[in-house]
């Protein structure tokens, strides 16, 4: 099972992305709208991938990246640009491929 954390500031988009992730039987998706929630979830689950959604301020992104890399250096962190389920799947597969090679 591949664990994926999506962080986004827009609740509707967050729910949609997590639903799309969980539609794949090989993936488990969790979502967070705040930095604190994201760090708490990340501390309790071993994630393979973090997707950073739009709307995350630069300072928050830097803080999150530092925390994730210190907590789990093997976890891949990528920017999610949106664009529908096909693009999301390709982003995830590409990030996982790059992480494995």
């Amino acid at each position: 099972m591949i664990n994926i954390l999506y962080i986004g500031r827009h609740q509707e988009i967050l729910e949609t992305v997590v639903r799309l992730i969980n539609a794949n039987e090989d993936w488990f998706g969790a979502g967070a709208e705040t930095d604190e929630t994201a760090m708490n979830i990340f501390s309790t689950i071993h994630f393979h991938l973090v997707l950073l959604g739009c709307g995350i301020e630069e300072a928050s992104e830097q803080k999150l990246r530092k925390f994730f890399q210190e907590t789990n250096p093997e976890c891949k962190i990528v920017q999610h640009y949106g664009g529908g389920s096909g693009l999301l799947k390709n982003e995830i597969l590409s990030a996982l491929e790059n992480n494995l090679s």
Side-chain angles (χ1 to χ4, degrees), residues 1-71:
M1 180 72 65
I2 301 294
N3 296 323
I4 302 167
L5 176 61
Y6 174 79
I7 304 164
R9 300 299 193 229
H10 305 284
Q11 185 64 34
E12 261 183 43
I13 296 171
L14 185 147
E15 290 171 2
T16 300
V17 171
V18 171
R19 181 177 45 79
L20 291 170
I21 291 168
N22 285 318
N24 184 314
E25 63 187 27
D26 297 324
W27 299 344
F28 166 76
E33 204 170 346
T34 68
D35 296 352
E36 292 74 24
T37 302
M39 292 187 289
N40 286 337
I41 294 170
F42 195 86
S43 295
T44 61
I45 298 173
H46 177 83
F47 285 98
H48 302 88
L49 177 63
V50 172
L51 298 174
L52 300 173
C54 63
I56 300 173
E57 308 79 20
E58 180 72 24
S60 286
E61 181 177 333
Q62 295 307 317
K63 176 176 74 172
L64 289 168
R65 284 180 180 274
K66 184 177 189 288
F67 176 81
F68 297 150
Q69 290 170 343
E70 288 175 355
T71 305

Side-chain angles (χ1 to χ4, degrees), residues 75-101:
C75 184
K76 182 79 172 173
I77 304 165
V78 297
Q79 197 72 40
H80 171 66
Y81 295 103
S85 61
L87 182 59
L88 174 65
K89 182 176 181 181
N90 287 337
E91 281 179 341
I92 292 170
L93 292 174
S94 176
L96 294 173
E97 262 181 32
N98 290 337
N99 205 33
L100 298 174
S101 53

